[in-house]
Amino acid sequence: MILYQAKDYKDMSRKAANIISARVILKPNSVLGLATGSSPEGTYKQLIEWYQKGDIDFSSVKAVNLDEYKGLDKDSDQSYAYFMRKNFFDHINIDLNNTYIPNGLEEDEEKECKRYDEIIESLGEVDLQLLGIGTNGHIGFNEPDTCFAKGTHCVKLKEETIRANARFFEDENLVPKYAYSMGIKNIMNAKQVLLIASGKSKANAVYETLYGDIRPEVPSTILQLHKNVIIIADEEALSVVKEKGLL
Ligand code: F6R
């Protein structure tokens, strides 16, 4: 694992955008695995700015997202499909036909998970998988569990995840209880993983990711087994690592 220390959220976002933009410049038809949430917002903003200046071309890029809430329509303003359009896709020249996200409205879990795994497979290798991290170490919506999920699956969200994500909803009761998520095997198959973390609430999860025992109870620890992982964490997110004298 390579760790880049960032000063703050802005610095983290800029560093992450630099790595993604380099990837797209070197390989214009890259397959990008993308994430939603607060962590990547600044990264997307920076990439949009560079696109507008003419520095990056997304016309041949394919994008496959990690997850989607079950029960939400792609046009609902809380859905991850909507988030991606609003925060990224609508501002760059990616072909929307080359963007993929689980269908939150599909009731048949088996059918949807199979469909999404087939899409991921048909795209070939994901060149770069961008990840945020949950306070409990979840990646995608792979929540703490007793085993690692392999492929796309339907997850019952943990109370702490529902609480953390309630800030995007009018009321905590409106946060969906289930989500479709890529599995750990899908994530581990990416050629390169780029994990970004900002803020004190992520400090313990970052410490566990870097130094914890590898275990499904802290899903991000599996990344220690991937041969090409970059972590960009800001000062607050590295505070536990520092307290323990490891930096
Ligand atoms: C989102 C996702 C989640 C988030 C994580 C952190 O697509 O897969 O794992 O990355 O919940 O969320 P934020 O960035 O909002 O703190």
Side-chain angles (χ1 to χ4, degrees), residues 148-209:
F148 292 110
K150 291 182 193 149
T152 305
H153 54 298
C154 185
V155 193
K156 183 168 173 26
L157 299 177
K158 296 273 182 207
E159 275 308 315
E160 57 209 292
T161 301
I162 291 174
R163 228 173 298 124
N165 289 1
R167 68 191 190 280
F168 297 111
F169 292 78
E170 265 176 41
D171 188 311
E172 191 172 312
N173 295 320
L174 297 175
V175 184
K177 307 284 179 285
Y178 291 87
Y180 286 118
S181 176
M182 274 189 199
I184 292 293
K185 188 174 166 198
N186 303 121
I187 293 172
M188 293 294 278
N189 276 344
K191 273 195 216 165
Q192 182 173 57
V193 173
L194 173 59
L195 184 143
I196 55 178
S198 169
K200 258 211 146 54
S201 67
K202 305 293 174 74
N204 203 49
V206 169
Y207 163 74
E208 289 284 353
T209 307

Side-chain angles (χ1 to χ4, degrees), residues 3 5 210-211 238-247:
L3 172 67
Q5 299 182 53
L210 284 162
Y211 299 104
L238 285 168
S239 55
V240 171
V241 174
K242 282 193 184 141
E243 271 160 35
K244 292 188 187 279
L246 294 162
L247 256 185

